[in-house]
Amino acid sequence: MDTVLLSDSIIELEKAAEFIRDGEIVGIPTETVYGLGADASNEDAVRKVFEAKGRPADNPLIVHLADFSQAKDFTTSIPDIAYKLADRFCPGPLTMVLPKNDRIPMITSGGLDTVGIRVPSHPVMHRIIELSGRPIAAPSANTSGYPSPTSAEHVMRDMKGKIAAVVDGGCSEFGVESTVIAIEGENSVRILRPGCITAEMLKEVCSEVIIDHAILHELEAGQKAASPGMKYKHYSPKADIIMVEGELDNFISYVGSHYGDNVYSLIFDDDKEKFPYRYMTYGKNSSEQAHLIFQRLRELDDAGAHRVYVRAPETRGVGLAVYNRLIRAAGFEVIRI
Ligand code: TXA
Ligand code: MG
């Protein structure tokens, strides 16, 4: 299949919407990462998404809507707290898991009776949803297991020949995927995947915000995942990623004693003056780290890195999202020095 690269002009967005209506798949920019969009109500289209990504069938897709008011068309009930959260955070990088109705096929929800609903703020994604008139199922547009794409070029690299088109909407603003939450009670939510809508921000609307154990810890054998995505190895470049927690001086001596060909470090911007070994940097605060992390993991592969020592980000605010992606990329290998 020829994969066409579309611009974000209105004529080309009409083309993208037509592909979606015709049951084809399109790579679409969002404010978090690029998504692999298909008509969420079309089983054949959704099947193609799972095939293109090589994604396990039990890992559900998020359904993207133009406005949260449409959520009632695809769910059986919406608690008040969901409306309060939507008032505050939609459109934006928040996904709410709600009980689904029959308009969302089982293949889309990975066999679950719930559906993740998200109202993206990116104008291109928003426009394509409106023009297509369909709910759009969209996982991140990477090959399953590989770092998520934050540019049209990343999507082309992973998906060329497998999907109908990619729309180029520039680099993704946030750089990590949406915060996924489940509603636990009248005023309580559980974070299943951290993102740029942070626990601290959710706390301004909900009295209780639970951070699911699996966000920072490996699931033990037989333990059930609150979100199927937590079961799988994720975000991994080809290189071995090793997260290292500790002061810069200790990090430098640790890397020094494990140094060799094709060994890289991923460090903070402020570290580079002092750092004597091969490195890339990933920003100077959590938002910059989120924006850069997936791009850097891909660049490290391009550079031929075999092993990468990463200075661990903090676990507060947006840092929790960055830490969560890195600890999974590292297969939970963390060294404390
Ligand atoms: O920012 C995003 O959310 C991006 C853009 C494209 O919107 N999409 C995205 O989709 O990250 P994906 O499929 O790569 O990740 C969705 C995550 C998975 O870990 C999945 O298991 C979880 O959300 N998820 C989806 N529906 C769920 C449900 N009904 N219950 C529990 N977890 C769910
Ligand atoms: Mg993904």
Side-chain angles (χ1 to χ4, degrees), residues 170-224:
C171 280
S172 303
E173 178 191 346
F174 291 112
V176 291
E177 307 88 336
S178 62
T179 305
V180 179
I181 59 167
I183 313 286
E184 290 275 300
E186 235 171 83
N187 243 314
S188 160
V189 298
R190 175 182 294 271
I191 300 183
L192 304 180
R193 180 179 69 183
C196 288
I197 305 291
T198 62
E200 292 81 353
M201 289 160 78
L202 293 166
K203 203 77 216 268
E204 289 167 21
V205 180
C206 305
S207 55
E208 187 183 34
V209 177
I210 302 160
I211 295 176
D212 197 275
H213 187 73
I215 284 176
L216 291 178
H217 304 94
E218 194 164 16
L219 282 172
E220 281 158 36
Q223 217 176 350
K224 195 173 179 301

Side-chain angles (χ1 to χ4, degrees), residues 32 35 55 59-60 62 64 97 114 118 138-140 177-178 193 227 229:
T32 56
R55 181 176 177 112
N59 198 1
I62 291 170
H64 299 71
V97 174
T114 55
R118 162 155 138 74
S140 50
E177 307 88 336
S178 62
R193 180 179 69 183
S227 175

Side-chain angles (χ1 to χ4, degrees), residues 262-281:
N262 306 110
V263 172
Y264 278 75
S265 293
L266 189 58
I267 60 174
F268 308 141
D269 283 6
D270 293 341
D271 300 343
K272 65 184 179 204
E273 304 295 309
K274 265 182 102 173
F275 197 71
Y277 306 112
R278 210 179 291 115
Y279 68 86
M280 290 190 192
T281 59

Side-chain angles (χ1 to χ4, degrees), residues 232-285:
Y232 299 106
K233 186 162 173 156
H234 250 128
Y235 316 118
S236 304
K238 295 187 198 84
D240 260 342
I241 303 292
I242 297 142
M243 189 125 81
V244 184
E245 277 183 4
E247 296 303 316
L248 178 60
D249 288 339
N250 297 340
F251 182 86
I252 291 173
S253 40
Y254 186 85
V255 172
S257 59
H258 294 80
Y259 202 56
D261 289 345
N262 306 110
V263 172
Y264 278 75
S265 293
L266 189 58
I267 60 174
F268 308 141
D269 283 6
D270 293 341
D271 300 343
K272 65 184 179 204
E273 304 295 309
K274 265 182 102 173
F275 197 71
Y277 306 112
R278 210 179 291 115
Y279 68 86
M280 290 190 192
T281 59
Y282 75 128
K284 53 184 180 303
N285 57 48

Side-chain angles (χ1 to χ4, degrees), residues 265-319:
S265 293
L266 189 58
I267 60 174
F268 308 141
D269 283 6
D270 293 341
D271 300 343
K272 65 184 179 204
E273 304 295 309
K274 265 182 102 173
F275 197 71
Y277 306 112
R278 210 179 291 115
Y279 68 86
M280 290 190 192
T281 59
Y282 75 128
K284 53 184 180 303
N285 57 48
S286 298
S287 299
E288 288 184 16
Q289 288 169 357
H291 181 73
L292 289 170
I293 186 62
F294 287 135
Q295 183 184 331
R296 288 291 184 267
L297 291 180
R298 284 174 180 259
E299 284 167 358
L300 285 159
D301 269 355
D302 293 345
H306 289 176
R307 204 176 337 125
V308 182
Y309 295 103
V310 183
R311 279 209 80 194
E314 60 177 29
T315 53
R316 278 180 304 134
V318 175

